Amino acid sequence: MDFQDSPLLKAARLCPVDVRTEEAGISVAEVLEYLEHDEWETALLLLEEFGDAHPQL
């Protein structure tokens, strides 16, 4: 799958830029770097942490 078409990339772009994971303090920019390096599983786990810490209404 092409990085630019990734559902994970689309999800990361929906996150506020100032949001960080609670445990490790990882930012959205760092998640984007994981996606650029094909670290899909790590990016997914971090996006799940964002969702748990900052649920959307």
Side-chain angles (χ1 to χ4, degrees), residues 5-36:
D5 295 330
S6 164
L8 293 178
L9 176 62
K10 292 175 185 175
R13 288 182 174 161
L14 291 173
C15 295
V17 295
D18 61 338
V19 85
R20 293 190 169 272
T21 61
E22 297 220 353
E23 290 183 24
I26 303 289
S27 70
V28 174
E30 291 169 285
V31 171
L32 293 172
E33 287 180 29
Y34 281 113
L35 289 172
E36 288 176 15

Side-chain angles (χ1 to χ4, degrees), residues 32-56:
L32 293 172
E33 287 180 29
Y34 281 113
L35 289 172
E36 288 176 15
H37 296 291
D38 293 328
E39 296 288 337
W40 304 100
E41 187 174 349
T42 302
L44 175 60
L45 294 172
L46 292 170
L47 287 170
E48 287 177 338
E49 279 191 49
F50 291 149
D52 291 343
H54 307 280
Q56 299 296 312

